[in-house]
């Protein structure tokens, strides 16, 4: 598993939200529920994250951390994906 920058992961997750929820106006602080997210959308987003990161990610994280920025922070922390600092 390669290190990934939290900002880059936030950008990618925001893109997943936009594509999955069909709303190009969503940003890193958009709330999954307010944007019309449901269980199917959460599974689709998590599936894409799992493929990207080659890791198991709980769908519940989308419900617990509903914005792309919050989700990215938790995923990077939980999976220790942050690049090593020099």
């Amino acid at each position: 598993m390669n290190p990934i920058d939290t900002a880059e992961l936030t950008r990618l997750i925001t893109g997943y939200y936009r594509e999955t929820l069909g709303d190009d106006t969503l940003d890193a602080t958009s709330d999954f529920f307010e944007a019309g997210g449901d269980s199917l959308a959460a599974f689709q987003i998590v599936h894409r994250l799992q493929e990207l990161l080659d890791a198991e990610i709980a769908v519940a994280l989308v419900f617990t951390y509903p914005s792309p920025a919050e989700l990215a922070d938790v995923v990077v922390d939980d999976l220790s994906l942050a690049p090593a600092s020099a």
Side-chain angles (χ1 to χ4, degrees), residues 13-75:
I13 293 172
T14 300
Y16 297 163
Y17 273 43
R18 288 177 179 166
E19 292 170 19
T20 304
L21 300 173
D23 185 346
D24 289 339
T25 66
L26 299 177
D27 63 24
T29 62
S30 295
D31 185 278
F32 178 76
F33 303 109
E34 290 175 7
D38 59 14
S39 295
L40 178 59
F43 279 106
Q44 292 170 335
I45 290 165
V46 167
H47 177 72
R48 293 192 63 190
L49 278 174
Q50 289 175 336
E51 286 183 333
L52 171 72
L53 302 173
D54 190 29
E56 289 297 318
I57 298 169
V59 173
L61 290 178
V62 175
F63 298 109
T64 307
Y65 304 97
S67 78
E70 292 173 316
L71 183 57
D73 283 341
V74 169
V75 169

